[in-house]
Amino acid sequence: QVQLAESGGGLVQAGGSLRLSCAAAGRSINRYSLAWFRQAQGKEHEFVAAIKWSGEDTCADSVKGRFTMSRDIAKNTVYLQMNSLKPEDTAVYYCAASGGAIWSTLSRASAYDVWGQGTQVTVSS
């Protein structure tokens, strides 16, 4: 079973950038589809971006053109580069892994069976 640990969150002004990291341990990430979700206070998990085990990636319309997800297989780590941040991006960001998600289910939280502890991102206006 893979274990995930996020880092890189913090407080940033609107228009700024942050890069989140998700370090995996226990298994190689090239066996998994990985995703970033976020959860704002009082709301449900929201899909942000995903990379399928084969390398294909996708992201939510709300972050398209601003956020980029990437992976470094050698470092067993995935990243989320977040640019042009907005106050509405404020949330706890979670990394998640799935051993069996297919393309059509990548945006569903229910498709992922391993989750990290989350990292807080706060964007001030």
Side-chain angles (χ1 to χ4, degrees):
Q1 183 81 321
V2 67
Q3 296 92 41
L4 305 173
E6 303 94 335
S7 61
L11 174 63
V12 64
Q13 287 189 328
S17 298
L18 280 175
R19 189 177 80 155
L20 305 183
S21 299
C22 173
R27 294 280 181 91
S28 174
I29 60 172
N30 63 7
R31 292 169 172 258
Y32 294 88
S33 295
L34 292 124
W36 288 97
F37 286 81
R38 64 188 181 186
Q39 187 173 26
Q41 195 166 9
K43 297 188 177 181
E44 296 190 353
H45 282 95
E46 177 191 9
F47 171 73
V48 176
I51 290 182
K52 198 169 179 288
W53 61 269
S54 54
E56 303 156 271
D57 63 279
T58 184
C59 69
D61 288 343
S62 59
V63 305
K64 200 163 289 184
R66 300 189 299 123
F67 291 11
T68 303
M69 184 176 181
S70 61
R71 66 179 183 178
D72 186 330
I73 293 175
K75 294 184 178 179
N76 223 30
T77 300
V78 293
Y79 303 96
L80 185 68
Q81 178 66 44
M82 306 186 294
N83 300 326
S84 302
L85 282 160
K86 304 175 182 180
E88 51 263 44
D89 294 319
T90 295
V92 177
Y93 282 71
Y94 295 91
C95 181
S98 171
I102 59 175
W103 183 258
S104 61
T105 65
L106 286 178
S107 62
R108 301 178 193 172
S110 59
Y112 297 85
D113 44 17
V114 178
W115 292 77
Q117 82 287 352
T119 186
Q120 175 71 46
V121 172
T122 303
V123 184
S124 63
S125 56

